[in-house]
Amino acid sequence: MKRALLLVDLQNDFCAGGALAVPEADSTVDVANALIGFCKARGDAVVATQDWHPVNHGSFARVQRTEPYSQGKLDGLRQTWWPDHCVQNSEGAELHPLLNTRDIDAVFQKGENPLIDSYSGFFDNGHRQKTQLDDWLFRNGIKQLIVMGLATDYCVKFTVLDALTLGYEVTVITDGCRGVNLQPQDGLKAFQTMSAAGATLMTLADFTY
Ligand code: VGL
Ligand code: ZN
């Protein structure tokens, strides 16, 4: 069975000092590098997603002239307004400097359309447009995904739910994920939602045992 490790949005802006810093995000990079080594040794593919917004993206509070982390509607969908983050070609959009990017086979960018947000690595939030990720995995015969990254309650959750809907078998590495936790339990709830939808939850130690 062919597998891929899918690293979600391990980017500077979600890490310490970044524009949308996720608590303890940097500690996921060690988990990612351990998994990359483990998966490469087994012959698994390694892919990554990258949040990649134009400077005028509609999810930015500045663009909407409102407060970061407040809520509204974008293209008819509930939307949290974010600080400017992961602007295309900015340092904040780069993958974490300590991440072993040499062993990443392909990177899939998302969030380029200024009119809609894209948490999932597969589709925008309205499921109107698809990225290249599903086609790439299909072409490579991959049916099983190991997923980790940032943030548990947004991009990891929606990537995993879409992967399950598309028919992938999904394992989430819990200690490789961290939540934004706008509400204190959001990350925990996201793990429960992913599990209820059919994902297997494991720690790095369980997975590499
Ligand atoms: C993300 C909020 C906005 C994420 C991306 O990667 O989880 N969260 N854009
Ligand atoms: Zn974003």
Side-chain angles (χ1 to χ4, degrees), residues 32-206:
N33 287 336
L35 275 173
I36 291 169
F38 183 84
C39 289
K40 276 278 148 179
R42 289 188 25 125
D44 298 333
V46 178
V47 299
T49 62
Q50 189 176 27
D51 210 30
W52 193 249
H53 297 308
V55 71
N56 64 338
H57 195 265
S59 74
F60 294 172
R62 171 188 51 81
V63 171
Q64 304 294 340
R65 301 167 180 275
T66 184
E67 287 302 308
Y69 304 106
S70 63
Q71 311 263 339
K73 272 199 166 181
L74 184 61
D75 203 3
L77 303 170
R78 286 177 57 120
Q79 177 72 45
T80 299
W81 308 121
W82 302 109
D84 292 22
H85 65 278
C86 299
V87 172
Q88 294 171 5
N89 302 302
S90 70
E91 192 186 341
E94 286 171 19
L95 297 177
H96 192 288
L98 297 179
L99 183 67
N100 172 15
T101 52
R102 283 163 290 124
D103 283 331
I104 297 177
D105 299 305
V107 178
F108 298 89
Q109 296 171 335
K110 63 188 177 64
E112 292 113 315
N113 181 349
L115 304 177
I116 193 162
D117 214 349
S118 287
Y119 294 144
S120 164
F122 291 98
F123 297 97
D124 63 55
N125 289 2
H127 287 87
R128 296 184 185 115
Q129 281 189 318
K130 215 174 171 202
T131 67
Q132 311 276 329
L133 176 57
D134 184 46
D135 291 338
W136 192 94
L137 295 170
F138 181 81
R139 277 203 312 276
N140 286 278
I142 291 162
K143 296 196 160 70
Q144 231 184 326
L145 298 177
I146 301 110
V147 183
M148 59 149 286
L150 305 170
T152 316
D153 35 1
Y154 295 94
C155 292
V156 173
K157 178 173 91 171
F158 288 101
T159 298
V160 165
L161 296 179
D162 279 345
L164 291 165
T165 302
L166 288 166
Y168 294 94
E169 190 186 316
V170 181
T171 300
V172 180
I173 307 299
T174 50
D175 47 348
C177 301
R178 289 294 184 281
V180 179
N181 288 323
L182 289 183
Q183 302 295 323
Q185 305 278 58
D186 283 355
L188 216 56
K189 282 188 190 159
F191 283 133
Q192 288 166 352
T193 302
M194 292 186 268
S195 171
T200 302
L201 307 184
M202 282 195 185
T203 63
L204 172 68
D206 294 335

